[in-house]
Amino acid sequence: MIIGYDPQSAQRALDREACTSIADTLDGAIMDADIVVLATPVGLLPDLLRRVSGLVSPDALITDVGSVKGPLDAAARQLDLADQFVGGHPMAGAENGGIDHADALLFENAVYVLCPLPGQSVHPKALWLVDAVGARPAVLDADRHDQLVATVSHLPQLVAVALVETAAAVGDDALALAAGGFRDMTRIASSPFGLWGDIYGANASAVDHALDAFLNRIQDYRRHVVRQPGALRHAFEQAASHRGIMPADARGFLQPLVDVIVWIADNPGALHDITGTLADASVDVKDIELMRIREGDAGTFRLGFADASTADRAVAAFSERGIRAQRREI
């Protein structure tokens, strides 16, 4: 049984079968719970933990899904919850939030970070929860977690916003010329500030450190561009090498996928031809984006696949149907 409690969205969660029942009060939702999952903006989590800790059974696990662990870790230690609290952060997300955008497969194959309190092992119920949603557990100290996500999640969000704002300041025609690479890099710029404002407040020190390191590197690149562009070669080669280390079969916060570009005539049923070809070949597509279309001429689609072998199978299936497709190498 999954009991939901949220005065604003619990009924919609029930309608979408995200929970099996709803409670009118917080007490009613958690008094008999085996696992309590706190899922609110990170700024609200410490106070909510204090409320919940006095209501749950001593055998219950309390966890959360917040993307900053330090403040909640400190609150749990103050409350002496070492035996029943494990911080959690599923490293998966989308630019839209809320129950209306819920995705039952969001955590599938994602890294799910667990942060037990110092000196504690991971609670078995926490490992069960990670397995139940199809994710992969990774155990980290709370402070180390916050340092890492500041670099690979919180900093990229600011960079995406800055890129879009920089292009917009040049003029609308700059955005009109933006190609697939720019859209890929700035997809997360659509994320609502309501989520991120709390995150930056809770992880300010680590984000400041990440920004400082990033800005120093950008200043180096700027000097190379002005004085000696060829000196950038080493940075490009190093970046390509480091990026190759990133696991291609795991979904992180940015959900890396292998892209295939498909060119197809602008005719009724064109999208059906694409999806039908994949279905007939039993190829699972993770993402589809219409990149551009010229009315009466042709359209270009970007399809995202979980790995290179699946992408190659898709290209072969399209080729058999006479549809032009090519893997995009990044």
Side-chain angles (χ1 to χ4, degrees), residues 288-311:
I288 298 178
E289 174 191 6
L290 174 60
M291 298 176 64
R292 64 185 67 86
I293 190 165
R294 295 191 299 273
E295 188 173 353
D297 184 4
T300 305
F301 289 84
R302 180 191 65 81
L303 278 60
F305 298 91
D307 51 50
S309 63
T310 305

Side-chain angles (χ1 to χ4, degrees), residues 191-217:
S191 298
F193 178 74
L195 168 69
W196 287 100
D198 272 359
I199 289 174
Y200 291 124
N203 204 25
S205 178
V207 173
D208 182 61
H209 181 78
L211 279 168
D212 193 48
F214 179 75
L215 291 173
N216 286 338
R217 197 170 296 275

Side-chain angles (χ1 to χ4, degrees), residues 53 56-63 80-86 123:
S53 63
V56 298
S57 161
D59 296 326
L61 166 70
I62 307 173
T63 187
D80 195 22
L81 295 176
D83 293 333
Q84 64 179 143
F85 174 80
V86 176
H123 198 294

Side-chain angles (χ1 to χ4, degrees), residues 221-243:
Y221 295 166
R222 183 181 188 181
R223 284 190 289 269
H224 291 326
V225 167
V226 172
R227 301 172 186 173
Q228 191 180 6
L232 289 168
R233 177 187 296 275
H234 179 69
F236 274 62
E237 291 174 347
Q238 284 290 98
S241 176
H242 292 319
R243 192 178 188 279

Side-chain angles (χ1 to χ4, degrees), residues 270-321:
L271 181 58
H272 179 269
D273 290 341
I274 292 175
T275 57
T277 298
L278 296 175
D280 291 344
S282 298
V283 175
D284 182 26
V285 61
K286 299 295 186 181
D287 188 32
I288 298 178
E289 174 191 6
L290 174 60
M291 298 176 64
R292 64 185 67 86
I293 190 165
R294 295 191 299 273
E295 188 173 353
D297 184 4
T300 305
F301 289 84
R302 180 191 65 81
L303 278 60
F305 298 91
D307 51 50
S309 63
T310 305
D312 289 341
R313 288 172 52 213
V315 171
F318 287 129
S319 178
E320 291 179 2
R321 294 283 182 92

